[in-house]
Amino acid sequence: QSVLTQPPSASGTPGQRVTISCSGSSSNIGPNTVNWYQQFPGTAPKLLIHSNSQRPSGVPDRFSGSKSGTSASLAISGLQSGDEADYYCASWDDSLSGWVFGGGTKLTVL
Amino acid sequence: EVQLVESGGGLVQPGGSLRLSCSASGFSFSTYAMHWVRQAPGRGLEYVSAISGDGGGTYYADSVKGRFTISRDNSKKTLYLQMSSLRPEDTAFYYCVSPADSSGWELDYWGQGTLVTVSS
């Protein structure tokens, strides 16, 4: 059981915009920032969004993040087949004094 | 360029021990906190352990506390995870992770992972 809650799956057609939600609490997302990771099968997770909405160098601006209260969202616009991957949210938890993750969302491009 | 290369994974029997290593390059290793994150095959991510740059501060998830020990050798730019009393539920890919900022505790750069399988 993951501390952060994500939908297990999401889907869209090429060109569409999809969003993935991440729900937390007053001990994690509420007071802290959120990161998003992208993971392709057989590879390590890669940082996609940090500090709620910041993209590391090299990440296309089709990917955007936002946070409101104890929830966060990842939006992918202009969906491409190459975006098919698992997406994880993460945040620091003040009660646990450690990082906590969502269970991951498998994105399918139809 | 930051590079993190894990090694030491393998098959071990329940109750056994294993030591993972993570060789780091491309940044001033001794000034950065370092982390271990694991992922059971087909499952989500779990934060396992962390250590401050000077090794004086450590963190362990409750699931591994008392069984795993994190350490580092800054002269060798290497991070370690000593795992003992291993259980089948410890089976996972273990990733070495570093922050991008020496003052941070973030999970920015990830190694390729090493697989630990606990089975008889």
Side-chain angles (χ1 to χ4, degrees), chain A residues 62-87:
Chain A
R62 299 187 298 106
F63 295 89
S64 62
S66 64
K67 172 188 148 178
S68 178
T70 59
S71 294
S73 291
L74 172 70
I76 308 172
S77 60
L79 199 61
Q80 301 175 2
S81 58
D83 297 332
E84 278 205 346
D86 293 325
Y87 294 85

Side-chain angles (χ1 to χ4, degrees), chain B residues 56-113:
Chain B
T58 58
Y59 164 87
Y60 298 96
D62 286 344
S63 57
V64 307
K65 201 171 293 182
R67 301 187 299 120
F68 289 11
T69 302
I70 191 171
S71 63
R72 62 192 298 160
D73 185 334
N74 286 340
S75 68
K76 295 182 179 178
K77 296 187 177 182
T78 302
L79 174 72
Y80 302 102
L81 186 67
Q82 179 68 48
M83 305 183 294
S84 60
S85 301
L86 283 162
R87 306 166 180 168
E89 56 264 36
D90 295 319
T91 295
F93 288 93
Y94 285 74
Y95 296 102
C96 168
V97 189
S98 74
D101 188 332
S102 63
S103 64
W105 202 256
E106 299 288 323
L107 303 176
D108 294 321
Y109 296 108
W110 296 59
Q112 87 287 350

